[in-house]
Amino acid sequence: MRISLLSSIFLVCFGSLHLAYGQNIDPECACNLGNLWLDVVVVIDNSQGMGHDGLNEVAADIATVFAQSNITQALGQTTRVGIVTYGQSAVTKYNLTAFHDTNTFINTIFDVANKPTTDTASYIYMGLSAAQTVLHDGRVNGKRDNVRQAIIVYASDYKSQGQDRDPVQLAQQIKEDGIGIITVGFDQFGGEGVLAGLAKLATPGMAFTNKDTDLVGEIQRNGLCQINCFCPTAWTQYTSQFGLASARRFALCLKLGDIDAMWTAAKIACQHLDNSAYLISEFDEAKHNFTYPQRFLILTMEPRLDGALEIAIPYPNDMLVN
Ligand SMILES: *[C@@H]1O[C@H](CO)[C@@H](O)[C@H](O)[C@H]1NC(C)=O
Ligand SMILES: *[C@@H]1O[C@H](CO)[C@@H](O)[C@H](O)[C@H]1NC(C)=O
Ligand SMILES: *[C@@H]1O[C@H](CO)[C@@H](O)[C@H](O)[C@H]1NC(C)=O
C-alpha cells in the first residue's frame, strides 16, 4: 500500500481551535498487505534452542504474515523477501532476488524450517549482520533504493559476543540506516532476560513474542505496515506524540517552511476554494500540540476519508484570531 505522495500537496488551513476538537479523522496509515512496498529479510534462529517444534511454529507464522503479500521481482508496490538462518554462525539461504511469487516463498519457508542445526549457541549478531548484507546487496546499482527495508528476526536467545560483535550496536546502526527491525522472542528459555535483550534491538514498538495472542496481526499492523508508512526526506511524519519513536504514525507529512510566504499563499488559496474552506484540520488537542509549536506546513499523503481537500498552514497568530 505504500502511501504515495500523489501529485497533490494539500495545504491545511487552520481555523479556530474550539471548533476543532472532537472527532479525529486524521488519515491512518493504511494496512493493505497486498500493496506492501518493502524489502524484507526474515532471520530465523535454527539452533537447538529453537528446536523442531519451534521452527515449525516460526514457519507457520511467517507463512501467515506474508500470505496476502505480493512477493515478486516485478516493479510496483511489491515485496521482496530474503531468508537468513543462524545459530553459531549465519547462512544466507535466499537473497532478495530469489523469490518470484508468494507461494514459492511460503513453501520454501517450511523447507528451511525443517532443518534445525546442531548448534547450541545462538548468536543474534551473526543473523543481523547477514541480513544487513542481504539488504545491502539487494540494492546494487540503486535498485529499489526508495523502498523501505525491514528485518524480522525470530530468536530463541539473546547473547552478546562482546564489544566487537555487540548486537545492540549493530541494531542501532541498522536502524539509523532507516531499516526497521521486528523481533519475535520464540520458545526462549531465558524468559524475560531474552525478551528485554531483543527489545533493545527492535524498532520501538516492534518487539513481540510467540506468546502474543495475535502475533501475526501485530507483525503486520504494528510492524510491517508501520515501516511501510513513511514520509519522504525532509518531511516530518505526524504521529500521536512528537519525538516519541514508538508513537503511532499517521499518513500525514509535515514540513517546516517559510511560514509567512506560505501562509499568505495558503490563505489566498483557501479563499478561492469553493465548497471551501475547510478551515479546520486540528481535529484534536494532540494534533494541535504537535503542529502548533513546529509551525509546519502539512502535506496529506492520501485523500481524506471524507474526500475533502485539506487546506492550510498553522500560523500561530492567525490560528487564534479566526
Ligand atoms: C503483484 O504486483 C505486480 C506488479 O505490480 C502486478 O502485476 C500483479 O498483478 C500483482 N499480483 C497480485 C496477486 O496482486
Ligand atoms: C542472489 O543469489 C543468486 C543465486 O545464488 C546470485 O546469482 C545473485 O548474484 C545473488 N544476488 C545478489 C544481489 O547477491
Ligand atoms: C497538549 O499540551 C498541553 C500543554 O503542554 C498538555 O497539558 C496536554 O495534555 C496536551 N494534550 C494532549 C492531548 O497531548
Side-chain angles (χ1 to χ4, degrees):
M1 82 155 180
R2 154 158 215 250
I3 293 165
S4 54
L5 277 182
L6 309 176
S7 42
S8 25
I9 292 178
F10 303 124
L11 300 173
V12 180
C13 293
F14 278 81
S16 52
L17 299 174
H18 63 272
L19 286 177
Y21 298 153
Q23 213 179 4
N24 184 334
I25 51 167
D26 278 320
E28 296 277 339
C29 289
C31 194
N32 180 346
L33 297 161
N35 287 347
L36 278 184
W37 199 48
L38 293 173
D39 283 345
V40 186
V41 178
V42 174
V43 180
I44 303 169
D45 172 354
N46 63 353
S47 70
Q48 294 279 298
M50 192 64 92
H52 235 289
D53 293 348
L55 278 172
N56 274 329
E57 207 181 319
V58 167
D61 191 74
I62 296 171
T64 319
V65 165
F66 287 100
Q68 300 155 68
S69 308
N70 188 354
I71 296 176
T72 169
Q73 299 296 317
L75 297 177
Q77 289 184 18
T78 56
T79 298
R80 296 191 303 172
V81 188
I83 306 173
V84 164
T85 59
Y86 74 96
Q88 175 90 28
S89 58
V91 180
T92 298
K93 299 273 189 184
Y94 296 92
N95 65 27
L96 289 172
T97 56
F99 296 107
H100 294 263
D101 67 277
T102 306
N103 282 342
T104 306
F105 168 73
I106 287 175
N107 291 333
T108 306
I109 202 78
F110 283 98
D111 267 0
V112 170
N114 216 4
K115 300 185 179 78
T117 60
T118 53
D119 290 1
T120 48
S122 161
Y123 293 132
I124 198 163
Y125 176 96
M126 305 305 273
L128 283 179
S129 176
Q132 187 186 35
T133 304
V134 170
L135 288 173
H136 178 267
D137 291 350
R139 284 220 157 151
V140 282
N141 305 325
K143 194 172 182 189
R144 276 169 70 98
D145 62 3
N146 48 359
V147 175
R148 275 286 153 124
Q149 298 167 297
I151 294 171
I152 309 180
V153 52
Y154 290 81
S156 71
D157 203 355
Y158 173 84
K159 278 207 181 72
S160 185
Q161 292 169 276
Q163 271 188 343
D164 291 349
R165 291 178 175 178
D166 174 13
V168 175
Q169 229 167 46
L170 176 60
Q172 195 56 36
Q173 187 192 324
I174 290 172
K175 288 181 281 189
E176 278 166 12
D177 286 341
I179 299 167
I181 302 180
I182 297 167
T183 62
V184 185
F186 235 87
D187 273 6
Q188 70 286 343
F189 298 114
E192 293 303 312
V194 172
L195 295 181
L198 295 177
K200 285 189 286 185
L201 309 182
T203 298
M206 299 188 189
F208 310 116
T209 94
N210 67 326
K211 303 285 186 291
D212 294 347
T213 47
D214 181 21
L215 177 58
V216 167
E218 300 213 51
I219 294 173
Q220 291 175 329
R221 278 191 314 277
N222 302 331
L224 297 175
C225 288
Q226 289 281 310
I227 292 168
N228 190 54
C229 181
F230 64 98
C231 291
T233 317
W235 291 82
T236 299
Q237 190 149 21
Y238 176 58
T239 64
S240 56
Q241 192 182 328
F242 187 77
L244 176 69
S246 59
R248 183 161 191 77
R249 302 179 196 186
F250 288 90
L252 202 60
C253 296
L254 314 169
K255 192 179 200 173
L256 286 164
D258 174 351
I259 297 298
D260 289 326
M262 292 194 306
W263 175 246
T264 307
K267 201 162 171 183
I268 293 167
C270 286
Q271 282 159 358
H272 284 87
L273 279 166
D274 48 42
N275 28 339
S276 152
Y278 203 137
L279 283 182
I280 307 292
S281 113
E282 289 194 345
F283 307 115
D284 58 23
E285 194 185 350
K287 187 164 179 187
H288 171 65
N289 282 3
F290 190 98
T291 52
Y292 183 85
Q294 326 295 337
R295 302 188 177 193
F296 281 124
L297 169 65
I298 296 185
L299 167 73
T300 63
M301 299 169 82
E302 289 180 319
R304 293 171 34 137
L305 296 176
D306 57 6
L309 208 52
E310 281 217 40
I311 317 169
I313 299 171
Y315 190 68
N317 301 326
D318 288 57
M319 276 168 74
L320 302 172
V321 173
N322 281 342

